[in-house]
Amino acid sequence: MADEQKIVVEVPSSSGYSPLNSTVELSQLEKFKKGWISAIALPDNLPDMAFDITTSVAIPALLTSCWVSLPLPNFIRWGVMGVVVLSGVIACYLRETIPEIQPILLIRLGLVFAGVLLGS
């Protein structure tokens, strides 16, 4: 078996060929930021963006309409107010922590505010 040859396999990556042992790990904070950026960003294609914007306005409008017109018990009203306050605190935290999402976060909050105004 003196004529055996060593076989080298190259694995293609998105930017050409790379060695097998060069893996770059993102820190936990970077993973956290990338996750929130991709979660808050608007979709790329037009139908998904139209659906996303429509639901950002229609769902708060529906909830506000129910809030105003239905006689809800006080514990449900307090629970909903608590959730609204908590989501506001989270939005403020994200706005301060991840500056890359500030413009799109303000657009999304504006759409929700428009839905609340339409529903009341």
Side-chain angles (χ1 to χ4, degrees):
M1 302 266 169
D3 59 347
E4 290 182 11
Q5 294 181 354
K6 193 175 191 179
I7 298 174
V8 177
V9 178
E10 293 184 32
V11 179
S13 69
S14 61
S15 62
Y17 290 100
S18 65
L20 290 176
N21 57 3
S22 69
T23 57
V24 177
E25 286 290 323
L26 293 175
S27 69
Q28 293 294 328
L29 181 61
E30 289 299 318
K31 288 180 184 178
F32 175 77
K33 286 183 178 182
K34 295 283 184 192
W36 275 106
I37 290 170
S38 65
I40 292 178
L42 289 173
D44 292 336
N45 57 1
L46 189 60
D48 286 343
M49 187 182 322
F51 177 77
D52 194 50
I53 290 173
T54 304
T55 57
S56 294
V57 174
I59 291 174
L62 175 68
L63 293 176
T64 305
S65 177
C66 291
W67 180 271
V68 171
S69 63
L70 295 177
L72 298 173
N74 282 338
F75 72 92
I76 292 178
R77 290 186 185 269
W78 283 106
V80 171
M81 285 181 162
V83 168
V84 168
V85 168
L86 181 65
S87 57
V89 168
I90 291 171
C92 289
Y93 171 74
L94 287 174
R95 184 172 170 257
E96 295 297 321
T97 307
I98 309 172
E100 294 91 4
I101 65 170
Q102 186 172 0
I104 194 68
L105 184 64
L106 291 176
I107 290 171
R108 288 195 175 270
L109 290 176
L111 290 172
V112 169
F113 184 69
V116 168
L117 288 179
L118 287 174
S120 58

mmCIF file of all heavy atoms in Angstrom, residues 19-46:
data_model
loop_
_atom_site.group_PDB
_atom_site.id
_atom_site.type_symbol
_atom_site.label_atom_id
_atom_site.label_comp_id
_atom_site.label_asym_id
_atom_site.label_seq_id
_atom_site.Cartn_x
_atom_site.Cartn_y
_atom_site.Cartn_z
ATOM 1 N N PRO A 19 -10.865 27.147 5.128
ATOM 2 C CA PRO A 19 -10.388 25.959 5.828
ATOM 3 C C PRO A 19 -11.432 25.469 6.829
ATOM 4 O O PRO A 19 -12.287 26.212 7.287
ATOM 5 C CB PRO A 19 -9.127 26.433 6.542
ATOM 6 C CG PRO A 19 -8.940 27.853 6.186
ATOM 7 C CD PRO A 19 -10.065 28.308 5.353
ATOM 8 N N LEU A 20 -11.355 24.195 7.159
ATOM 9 C CA LEU A 20 -12.347 23.590 8.037
ATOM 10 C C LEU A 20 -12.255 24.093 9.473
ATOM 11 O O LEU A 20 -13.253 24.140 10.174
ATOM 12 C CB LEU A 20 -12.187 22.070 8.041
ATOM 13 C CG LEU A 20 -12.574 21.368 6.756
ATOM 14 C CD1 LEU A 20 -12.272 19.880 6.864
ATOM 15 C CD2 LEU A 20 -14.039 21.564 6.468
ATOM 16 N N ASN A 21 -11.109 24.488 9.934
ATOM 17 C CA ASN A 21 -10.946 24.819 11.339
ATOM 18 C C ASN A 21 -11.119 26.301 11.659
ATOM 19 O O ASN A 21 -10.886 26.705 12.775
ATOM 20 C CB ASN A 21 -9.579 24.349 11.841
ATOM 21 C CG ASN A 21 -8.451 24.951 11.026
ATOM 22 O OD1 ASN A 21 -8.693 25.739 10.134
ATOM 23 N ND2 ASN A 21 -7.232 24.561 11.344
ATOM 24 N N SER A 22 -11.544 27.124 10.713
ATOM 25 C CA SER A 22 -11.702 28.552 11.005
ATOM 26 C C SER A 22 -13.177 28.861 11.251
ATOM 27 O O SER A 22 -13.911 29.212 10.350
ATOM 28 C CB SER A 22 -11.160 29.395 9.860
ATOM 29 O OG SER A 22 -11.986 29.246 8.742
ATOM 30 N N THR A 23 -13.604 28.708 12.488
ATOM 31 C CA THR A 23 -14.975 29.044 12.855
ATOM 32 C C THR A 23 -14.935 30.258 13.765
ATOM 33 O O THR A 23 -14.159 30.321 14.707
ATOM 34 C CB THR A 23 -15.659 27.880 13.600
ATOM 35 O OG1 THR A 23 -14.884 27.555 14.739
ATOM 36 C CG2 THR A 23 -15.794 26.668 12.692
ATOM 37 N N VAL A 24 -15.767 31.226 13.447
ATOM 38 C CA VAL A 24 -15.826 32.447 14.226
ATOM 39 C C VAL A 24 -17.090 32.394 15.075
ATOM 40 O O VAL A 24 -18.188 32.282 14.554
ATOM 41 C CB VAL A 24 -15.848 33.688 13.315
ATOM 42 C CG1 VAL A 24 -15.988 34.952 14.132
ATOM 43 C CG2 VAL A 24 -14.611 33.719 12.443
ATOM 44 N N GLU A 25 -16.927 32.460 16.365
ATOM 45 C CA GLU A 25 -18.061 32.427 17.293
ATOM 46 C C GLU A 25 -18.445 33.851 17.671
ATOM 47 O O GLU A 25 -17.592 34.665 18.008
ATOM 48 C CB GLU A 25 -17.685 31.645 18.560
ATOM 49 C CG GLU A 25 -17.625 30.156 18.368
ATOM 50 C CD GLU A 25 -18.997 29.551 18.163
ATOM 51 O OE1 GLU A 25 -19.959 30.012 18.788
ATOM 52 O OE2 GLU A 25 -19.083 28.619 17.354
ATOM 53 N N LEU A 26 -19.738 34.136 17.597
ATOM 54 C CA LEU A 26 -20.224 35.428 18.057
ATOM 55 C C LEU A 26 -20.432 35.374 19.564
ATOM 56 O O LEU A 26 -20.786 34.340 20.119
ATOM 57 C CB LEU A 26 -21.554 35.761 17.379
ATOM 58 C CG LEU A 26 -21.529 36.015 15.879
ATOM 59 C CD1 LEU A 26 -22.938 36.214 15.361
ATOM 60 C CD2 LEU A 26 -20.691 37.239 15.566
ATOM 61 N N SER A 27 -20.234 36.487 20.200
ATOM 62 C CA SER A 27 -20.475 36.529 21.637
ATOM 63 C C SER A 27 -21.984 36.460 21.890
ATOM 64 O O SER A 27 -22.792 36.654 20.990
ATOM 65 C CB SER A 27 -19.887 37.807 22.234
ATOM 66 O OG SER A 27 -20.635 38.923 21.782
ATOM 67 N N GLN A 28 -22.349 36.187 23.115
ATOM 68 C CA GLN A 28 -23.765 36.084 23.459
ATOM 69 C C GLN A 28 -24.478 37.416 23.241
ATOM 70 O O GLN A 28 -25.627 37.446 22.813
ATOM 71 C CB GLN A 28 -23.919 35.617 24.911
ATOM 72 C CG GLN A 28 -23.452 34.203 25.155
ATOM 73 C CD GLN A 28 -24.322 33.196 24.422
ATOM 74 O OE1 GLN A 28 -25.506 33.386 24.232
ATOM 75 N NE2 GLN A 28 -23.698 32.112 23.999
ATOM 76 N N LEU A 29 -23.794 38.528 23.532
ATOM 77 C CA LEU A 29 -24.397 39.837 23.332
ATOM 78 C C LEU A 29 -24.638 40.106 21.855
ATOM 79 O O LEU A 29 -25.689 40.639 21.479
ATOM 80 C CB LEU A 29 -23.504 40.923 23.938
ATOM 81 C CG LEU A 29 -24.018 42.347 23.839
ATOM 82 C CD1 LEU A 29 -25.336 42.493 24.581
ATOM 83 C CD2 LEU A 29 -22.988 43.317 24.389
ATOM 84 N N GLU A 30 -23.692 39.725 21.003
ATOM 85 C CA GLU A 30 -23.876 39.909 19.568
ATOM 86 C C GLU A 30 -25.022 39.038 19.038
ATOM 87 O O GLU A 30 -25.778 39.471 18.185
ATOM 88 C CB GLU A 30 -22.581 39.603 18.817
ATOM 89 C CG GLU A 30 -21.510 40.641 19.020
ATOM 90 C CD GLU A 30 -21.934 42.015 18.530
ATOM 91 O OE1 GLU A 30 -22.553 42.132 17.454
ATOM 92 O OE2 GLU A 30 -21.650 42.995 19.249
ATOM 93 N N LYS A 31 -25.134 37.816 19.535
ATOM 94 C CA LYS A 31 -26.259 36.960 19.145
ATOM 95 C C LYS A 31 -27.579 37.581 19.570
ATOM 96 O O LYS A 31 -28.561 37.550 18.826
ATOM 97 C CB LYS A 31 -26.108 35.567 19.760
ATOM 98 C CG LYS A 31 -25.021 34.737 19.152
ATOM 99 C CD LYS A 31 -24.959 33.379 19.832
ATOM 100 C CE LYS A 31 -23.821 32.556 19.304
ATOM 101 N NZ LYS A 31 -23.719 31.256 19.983
ATOM 102 N N PHE A 32 -27.614 38.147 20.776
ATOM 103 C CA PHE A 32 -28.803 38.815 21.286
ATOM 104 C C PHE A 32 -29.191 39.984 20.391
ATOM 105 O O PHE A 32 -30.350 40.130 19.989
ATOM 106 C CB PHE A 32 -28.538 39.292 22.721
ATOM 107 C CG PHE A 32 -29.641 40.094 23.327
ATOM 108 C CD1 PHE A 32 -30.780 39.478 23.807
ATOM 109 C CD2 PHE A 32 -29.535 41.478 23.427
ATOM 110 C CE1 PHE A 32 -31.801 40.218 24.375
ATOM 111 C CE2 PHE A 32 -30.546 42.221 23.995
ATOM 112 C CZ PHE A 32 -31.685 41.594 24.465
ATOM 113 N N LYS A 33 -28.203 40.816 20.038
ATOM 114 C CA LYS A 33 -28.473 41.970 19.182
ATOM 115 C C LYS A 33 -28.934 41.547 17.796
ATOM 116 O O LYS A 33 -29.895 42.100 17.258
ATOM 117 C CB LYS A 33 -27.227 42.849 19.068
ATOM 118 C CG LYS A 33 -26.934 43.652 20.307
ATOM 119 C CD LYS A 33 -25.726 44.534 20.085
ATOM 120 C CE LYS A 33 -25.438 45.390 21.295
ATOM 121 N NZ LYS A 33 -24.297 46.287 21.073
ATOM 122 N N LYS A 34 -28.265 40.571 17.194
ATOM 123 C CA LYS A 34 -28.649 40.105 15.855
ATOM 124 C C LYS A 34 -30.055 39.519 15.865
ATOM 125 O O LYS A 34 -30.822 39.710 14.927
ATOM 126 C CB LYS A 34 -27.651 39.059 15.344
ATOM 127 C CG LYS A 34 -26.264 39.578 15.121
ATOM 128 C CD LYS A 34 -26.175 40.369 13.863
ATOM 129 C CE LYS A 34 -24.717 40.776 13.659
ATOM 130 N NZ LYS A 34 -24.574 41.760 12.631
ATOM 131 N N GLY A 35 -30.394 38.808 16.937
ATOM 132 C CA GLY A 35 -31.732 38.230 17.043
ATOM 133 C C GLY A 35 -32.802 39.300 17.091
ATOM 134 O O GLY A 35 -33.829 39.199 16.403
ATOM 135 N N TRP A 36 -32.595 40.358 17.886
ATOM 136 C CA TRP A 36 -33.584 41.422 17.971
ATOM 137 C C TRP A 36 -33.647 42.226 16.687
ATOM 138 O O TRP A 36 -34.727 42.661 16.277
ATOM 139 C CB TRP A 36 -33.292 42.332 19.161
ATOM 140 C CG TRP A 36 -33.881 41.807 20.416
ATOM 141 C CD1 TRP A 36 -33.217 41.220 21.447
ATOM 142 C CD2 TRP A 36 -35.262 41.755 20.759
ATOM 143 N NE1 TRP A 36 -34.097 40.824 22.412
ATOM 144 C CE2 TRP A 36 -35.367 41.148 22.019
ATOM 145 C CE3 TRP A 36 -36.425 42.162 20.119
ATOM 146 C CZ2 TRP A 36 -36.583 40.945 22.648
ATOM 147 C CZ3 TRP A 36 -37.641 41.966 20.752
ATOM 148 C CH2 TRP A 36 -37.713 41.366 21.993
ATOM 149 N N ILE A 37 -32.517 42.443 16.041
ATOM 150 C CA ILE A 37 -32.523 43.186 14.783
ATOM 151 C C ILE A 37 -33.318 42.432 13.728
ATOM 152 O O ILE A 37 -34.144 43.010 13.020
ATOM 153 C CB ILE A 37 -31.085 43.469 14.312
ATOM 154 C CG1 ILE A 37 -30.435 44.498 15.234
ATOM 155 C CG2 ILE A 37 -31.054 43.948 12.874
ATOM 156 C CD1 ILE A 37 -28.948 44.676 15.015
ATOM 157 N N SER A 38 -33.117 41.128 13.627
ATOM 158 C CA SER A 38 -33.859 40.355 12.629
ATOM 159 C C SER A 38 -35.329 40.192 13.007
ATOM 160 O O SER A 38 -36.183 40.082 12.136
ATOM 161 C CB SER A 38 -33.210 38.989 12.421
ATOM 162 O OG SER A 38 -33.313 38.224 13.601
ATOM 163 N N ALA A 39 -35.647 40.210 14.305
ATOM 164 C CA ALA A 39 -37.041 40.069 14.722
ATOM 165 C C ALA A 39 -37.839 41.341 14.489
ATOM 166 O O ALA A 39 -39.023 41.281 14.149
ATOM 167 C CB ALA A 39 -37.100 39.686 16.198
ATOM 168 N N ILE A 40 -37.222 42.490 14.641
ATOM 169 C CA ILE A 40 -37.942 43.752 14.525
ATOM 170 C C ILE A 40 -37.936 44.292 13.101
ATOM 171 O O ILE A 40 -38.810 45.059 12.720
ATOM 172 C CB ILE A 40 -37.361 44.772 15.529
ATOM 173 C CG1 ILE A 40 -37.684 44.313 16.948
ATOM 174 C CG2 ILE A 40 -37.900 46.157 15.306
ATOM 175 C CD1 ILE A 40 -37.138 45.178 18.023
ATOM 176 N N ALA A 41 -36.987 43.886 12.287
ATOM 177 C CA ALA A 41 -36.875 44.407 10.924
ATOM 178 C C ALA A 41 -38.114 44.067 10.104
ATOM 179 O O ALA A 41 -38.769 43.054 10.312
ATOM 180 C CB ALA A 41 -35.640 43.823 10.250
ATOM 181 N N LEU A 42 -38.430 44.960 9.185
ATOM 182 C CA LEU A 42 -39.554 44.709 8.283
ATOM 183 C C LEU A 42 -39.172 43.620 7.282
ATOM 184 O O LEU A 42 -38.006 43.498 6.906
ATOM 185 C CB LEU A 42 -39.932 45.990 7.540
ATOM 186 C CG LEU A 42 -40.603 47.073 8.383
ATOM 187 C CD1 LEU A 42 -40.757 48.344 7.571
ATOM 188 C CD2 LEU A 42 -41.940 46.608 8.893
ATOM 189 N N PRO A 43 -40.153 42.839 6.824
ATOM 190 C CA PRO A 43 -39.855 41.793 5.839
ATOM 191 C C PRO A 43 -39.347 42.377 4.524
ATOM 192 O O PRO A 43 -39.603 43.541 4.202
ATOM 193 C CB PRO A 43 -41.209 41.098 5.635
ATOM 194 C CG PRO A 43 -42.028 41.478 6.800
ATOM 195 C CD PRO A 43 -41.533 42.803 7.265
ATOM 196 N N ASP A 44 -38.654 41.544 3.756
ATOM 197 C CA ASP A 44 -38.061 41.999 2.499
ATOM 198 C C ASP A 44 -39.064 42.079 1.353
ATOM 199 O O ASP A 44 -39.003 42.984 0.544
ATOM 200 C CB ASP A 44 -36.910 41.075 2.095
ATOM 201 C CG ASP A 44 -35.737 41.188 3.051
ATOM 202 O OD1 ASP A 44 -35.617 42.245 3.696
ATOM 203 O OD2 ASP A 44 -34.963 40.230 3.148
ATOM 204 N N ASN A 45 -39.981 41.122 1.279
ATOM 205 C CA ASN A 45 -40.890 41.129 0.134
ATOM 206 C C ASN A 45 -42.144 41.941 0.444
ATOM 207 O O ASN A 45 -42.563 42.102 1.584
ATOM 208 C CB ASN A 45 -41.230 39.718 -0.321
ATOM 209 C CG ASN A 45 -41.829 38.890 0.786
ATOM 210 O OD1 ASN A 45 -42.004 39.365 1.891
ATOM 211 N ND2 ASN A 45 -42.135 37.652 0.479
ATOM 212 N N LEU A 46 -42.777 42.467 -0.596
ATOM 213 C CA LEU A 46 -43.882 43.409 -0.465
ATOM 214 C C LEU A 46 -45.136 42.809 0.172
ATOM 215 O O LEU A 46 -45.730 43.446 1.043
ATOM 216 C CB LEU A 46 -44.195 44.013 -1.838
ATOM 217 C CG LEU A 46 -45.174 45.168 -1.839
ATOM 218 C CD1 LEU A 46 -44.645 46.325 -0.996
ATOM 219 C CD2 LEU A 46 -45.448 45.622 -3.248
#
